[in-house]
Amino acid sequence: MVHWLAACPSNEMLLPKPIQNLIDSLSRLPGIGPKTASRLTFFLLRAPEILSFDLADALQTLKSGTRFCRTCFNITDADRDECEICTGAERDAALLCVVEDPLDVLALERTGGYRGRYHVLHGTLSPIEGIGPEDLKIAELLRRVRAEEIREIILATNPSLEGDATAMYLRQQLEPFGIPVTRLARGLPVGGDLEYADQNTLLRALAGRQEMD
Ligand SMILES: [Zn+2]
């Protein structure tokens, strides 16, 4: 038997608008095709109301309840200027770890092996996608390095083509400051993502970081 959704050339004729709306919205998320979007929508339709209300509430406060830390550009609560890491008295302010996105901060924090601060670039250089230095928080990084007393800068961009190219570019930009610039040790899967690396691998990469030449 052919599934009735698959059998219809256009669901729009048959589905009430609220259902089609949610399917369309979910379909726009990464990794979710129309099939998964339909499955999730019908799951919510059958599930207790509270599940939908909680989800709607979480979505609504996602943007309004968060903001970027004005110093490191990590995500923080909307009611504070700086994140907990930047304001944490126990953090080593002279050690700066540069990462691609907030999920990488989370991954490094989970290891429990890093006590310095971070700087979140919000992406990597990618000529193909038209992403240049001005699209990332690079000027902000250089401003910080100029203003703060930093002993070491760890470039912890992903071990991918773009991550490596971004690290090379940053090393050049940071050279005039005369501060040691290190890169996470190899051992992380090439082309992989920091956020998916297991804690031990990440800890080893952090401990084995080497000065870039
Ligand atoms: Zn911060």
Side-chain angles (χ1 to χ4, degrees):
M1 198 182 80
V2 183
H3 191 270
W4 67 273
L5 259 180
C8 298
S10 166
N11 300 328
E12 272 164 51
M13 321 270 296
L14 296 166
L15 289 172
K17 217 167 176 353
I19 295 179
Q20 190 61 49
N21 281 347
L22 185 57
I23 293 175
D24 291 346
S25 295
L26 290 170
S27 302
R28 274 183 250 143
L29 300 175
I32 296 189
K35 250 187 179 166
T36 306
S38 300
R39 206 161 45 230
L40 290 171
T41 300
F42 281 93
F43 169 79
L44 285 168
L45 205 58
R46 283 189 298 262
E49 233 174 17
I50 185 77
L51 202 69
S52 290
F53 288 155
D54 284 351
L55 185 63
D57 190 47
L59 287 172
Q60 211 142 38
T61 51
L62 178 67
K63 288 283 189 180
S64 65
T66 57
R67 62 179 294 174
F68 292 130
C69 168
R70 69 162 182 208
T71 305
C72 74
F73 298 93
N74 189 14
I75 290 172
T76 189
D77 292 307
D79 58 357
R80 49 191 306 160
D81 279 343
E82 281 188 304
C83 70
E84 278 180 44
I85 296 172
C86 283
T87 50
E90 77 288 357
R91 308 295 300 214
D92 182 351
L95 194 56
L96 191 61
C97 183
V98 180
V99 295
E100 290 180 21
D101 62 55
L103 283 173
D104 298 330
V105 173
L106 221 61
L108 284 159
E109 284 301 289
R110 269 199 302 261
T111 68
Y114 179 69
R115 303 313 299 160
R117 289 183 182 173
Y118 295 93
H119 189 86
V120 183
L121 295 172
H122 288 277
T124 44
L125 296 175
S126 173
I128 295 168
E129 289 175 54
I131 302 171
E134 65 287 348
D135 299 310
L136 307 176
K137 302 294 180 194
I138 290 178
E140 291 82 352
L141 170 66
L142 299 178
R143 245 198 313 278
R144 277 185 80 177
V145 174
R146 217 168 282 133
E148 297 173 22
E149 287 203 17
I150 290 166
R151 182 178 74 240
E152 179 187 342
I153 300 165
I154 305 166
L155 299 181
T157 48
N158 288 330
S160 62
L161 217 60
E162 291 86 3
D164 283 340
T166 306
M168 289 301 284
Y169 176 82
L170 289 176
R171 185 189 62 90
Q172 283 169 5
Q173 296 295 306
L174 292 165
E175 201 159 28
F177 296 99
I179 301 167
V181 175
T182 55
R183 181 98 173 98
L184 290 188
R186 292 289 164 188
L188 289 169
V190 174
D193 216 313
L194 238 62
E195 61 183 274
Y196 301 124
D198 71 90
Q199 294 184 13
N200 285 333
T201 307
L202 204 46
L203 264 178
R204 267 202 307 277
L206 194 60
R209 65 184 186 267
Q210 283 171 348
E211 197 155 344
M212 288 179 79
D213 47 31

